Amino acid sequence: MGNADYSGREKRISQRHPFSAEVTIQQLDSNRQPVGEAIAAVTRDISTGGASLISPTFVSAAFLIVEIAHPTGTKKRLLMEVSRSRPFRKYFETGGKFVTEL
């Protein structure tokens, strides 16, 4: 998929890798409390610093909890600061940087 149509300055510190995995995302309010139901999403690409996610729902929150299953069966929960959320075909793309592991 990549981002061949992007012509702005590269802001990423870590190299991104195309990677498709099912994740669960939870939007957080300004107090970082969960808002609404968790949403199923898919990663578009990922790096040690952040990820691009595709979901059926527009993300309006400034922060998300991203839960991803590890092949060993454990789950990682990461706090992500949202830097963009925009339409992507018939879905929505949300990108951001990982703040901390929860």
Side-chain angles (χ1 to χ4, degrees):
M1 288 184 185
N3 223 357
D5 60 341
Y6 180 74
S7 61
R9 184 176 69 80
E10 181 62 55
K11 298 177 184 176
R12 291 173 184 82
I13 295 170
S14 305
Q15 182 179 3
R16 63 184 158 170
H17 304 280
F19 179 71
S20 180
E22 294 179 10
V23 296
T24 302
I25 59 175
Q26 176 68 61
Q27 296 190 65
L28 304 177
D29 66 16
S30 59
N31 295 317
R32 296 192 185 172
Q33 297 301 308
V35 175
E37 298 292 321
I39 303 164
V42 176
T43 60
R44 183 174 185 198
D45 60 54
I46 197 164
S47 72
T48 56
S52 177
L53 311 170
I54 305 297
S55 70
T57 305
F58 180 77
V59 171
S60 59
F63 290 92
L64 296 174
I65 295 174
V66 178
E67 185 173 278
I68 186 166
H70 191 271
T72 62
T74 60
K75 292 184 180 181
K76 279 204 178 265
R77 294 181 72 216
L78 303 161
L79 179 64
M80 185 171 99
E81 183 176 9
V82 176
S83 59
R84 71 179 180 284
S85 190
R86 60 187 174 202
F88 178 78
R89 298 182 181 142
K90 63 179 185 174
Y91 300 99
F92 298 92
E93 177 188 32
T94 301
K97 65 179 181 177
F98 297 130
V99 177
T100 190
E101 188 171 345
L102 302 171

